[in-house]
Each structure stands twice: as structure tokens, then as C-alpha cells.
Amino acid sequence: MKPTMLDLLNDYFENTPKEKILEDWDSVKKYSEVGPPVEEFIQNQKQHIMQTNNWEKRITPENIEKLDRGQVFVFGSNKAGFHAGGAAKQAARCFGAINGEGFGLMGDSFAIPTKDFELETMEIGEIREYVDVFIKAAYHHEDKTFLVTEIGCGIAGYEPKDIAPLFKAAVGIENIHLPKRFWEIINKL
């Protein structure tokens, strides 16, 4: 089996004399003067990603009453699939969300739980796990456009600054649209 980069680095640091490591380090210092500082480079890359991904064209409308063919309404739910309020009620009434189903693709909707089975607000870390699965699912359904609403920012009680960072990995996925306030926050990360 071919060694990984981590294996090679471990071997280098374990088996190379300290003097040789310092000599090698000195030999690459000249590259520190090439290009912008790391922080500036990262900021430039973020701006480039945002510009090339046309995020302004990927903003979820604020009030969705009907969907075009291939669009999916993404809403905050609870694990019990009790769709009685907020965007969940809209999803059940108009877009095929199924009562008793708290996560996943149903009709023209996709539920992401932000409340548990007892209807208590979930911790951000647990919500993140569901958002990650959603992002992977959307990536594999490139024939659909996923219109993410401000999940967790209504009945669950979170603010966009809490939830938006969970969607950072969606930036490069063209068929995921996010609320404008989520994009504004992601742009600053």
C-alpha cells in the first residue's frame, strides 16, 4: 500500500536529525516572500469562490408559495415529523412533506430537523450532522434545485448567524440556493 502524506511526514520527523530539519526549513524560507500573506490569500480565495459561484443568483426567495419543476422546498422540521407550524406547515400543505417523516426528501420538499422527538430545540452540532447529509444528498440530485429556507430561525429559536455557517460546504454546489441572510454571513466567514 502506498504511504500517505501523513505517513511520509511522520517518517521524516521521526527519522531526520533536528539539524537537517532546521536546514531544510531555512532552505524554504525564501518562499515566504512569494505572493501575499496567508491570511490575504485565504480572503482572496473566499472572494473568488463567491464571485465564481454566482451566489447572487442562488438566493432562496423569502416567501415561496409555488415551485417550478425540479425545485425542492427545504425546511426546518422536528424528528417526529409533526409539520404543524412555520415552513414545515407550508411544506406539508403545499410541497408533499409527510407527517411522521422528520428528515429527508418527500415530494417536492426536504426536511432538516432542528427540533427533536419531544419538540425541544436541538444543539447546533446535531443539526450540523443533518445539514451535512442534506448537502451530500443535494449534490447527488443535481437534477433538482434545493431552495433552503431559514431553517432553525423560526420556532427553533436560532438566528441566521448560528445556522448559516452550517451551510458553508454548500457554497460550491450550484443546485443549493440559500437565504440572502445566510449568504451574507457565509461571505464573511
Side-chain angles (χ1 to χ4, degrees):
M1 186 165 122
K2 186 177 177 181
T4 66
M5 180 61 76
L6 183 59
D7 294 332
L8 294 172
L9 284 170
N10 279 333
D11 182 61
Y12 173 79
F13 285 109
E14 287 176 7
N15 299 310
T16 305
K18 182 178 179 180
E19 296 77 26
K20 175 66 174 145
I21 293 172
L22 293 173
E23 180 184 318
D24 290 346
W25 188 254
D26 283 340
S27 72
V28 296
K29 280 187 178 178
K30 62 185 174 190
Y31 297 113
S32 295
E33 298 173 11
V34 176
V38 172
E39 295 82 11
E40 183 180 334
F41 176 78
I42 290 170
Q43 186 60 35
N44 289 342
Q45 287 302 102
K46 285 181 185 177
Q47 290 173 353
H48 174 73
I49 288 169
M50 289 307 186
Q51 290 168 356
T52 58
N53 281 313
N54 298 316
W55 69 269
E56 295 94 347
K57 295 178 182 174
R58 293 172 48 209
I59 296 173
T60 300
E62 286 189 32
N63 295 309
I64 301 172
E65 295 184 15
K66 69 180 191 94
L67 297 171
D68 292 335
R69 184 181 187 98
Q71 289 183 327
V72 177
F73 182 81
V74 182
F75 66 99
S77 181
N78 56 72
K79 289 182 178 182
F82 183 60
H83 308 307
K89 184 176 181 179
Q90 174 83 349
R93 193 177 73 231
C94 301
F95 306 124
I98 300 166
N99 279 314
E101 299 283 334
F103 176 70
L105 187 61
M106 302 166 258
D108 292 327
S109 66
F110 195 109
I112 299 176
T114 58
K115 289 186 161 267
D116 62 20
F117 286 103
E118 289 77 34
L119 307 183
E120 297 295 325
T121 299
M122 293 165 43
E123 297 291 328
I124 288 290
E126 189 175 2
I127 296 170
R128 177 187 309 278
E129 293 174 18
Y130 285 96
V131 170
D132 289 348
V133 173
F134 158 72
I135 291 170
K136 290 174 187 172
Y139 176 80
H140 290 290
H141 286 90
E142 57 189 36
D143 58 318
K144 299 185 182 305
T145 300
F146 294 85
L147 305 176
V148 178
T149 62
E150 287 192 355
I151 72 157
C153 299
I155 297 168
Y158 285 108
E159 296 181 24
K161 69 178 177 60
D162 303 314
I163 300 292
L166 306 182
F167 288 91
K168 187 175 179 185
V171 168
I173 302 175
E174 294 291 323
N175 64 329
I176 297 178
H177 294 211
L178 300 174
K180 185 174 183 179
R181 294 197 304 173
F182 282 21
W183 281 117
E184 289 169 347
I185 291 163
I186 291 170
N187 282 336
K188 295 176 185 173
L189 297 177

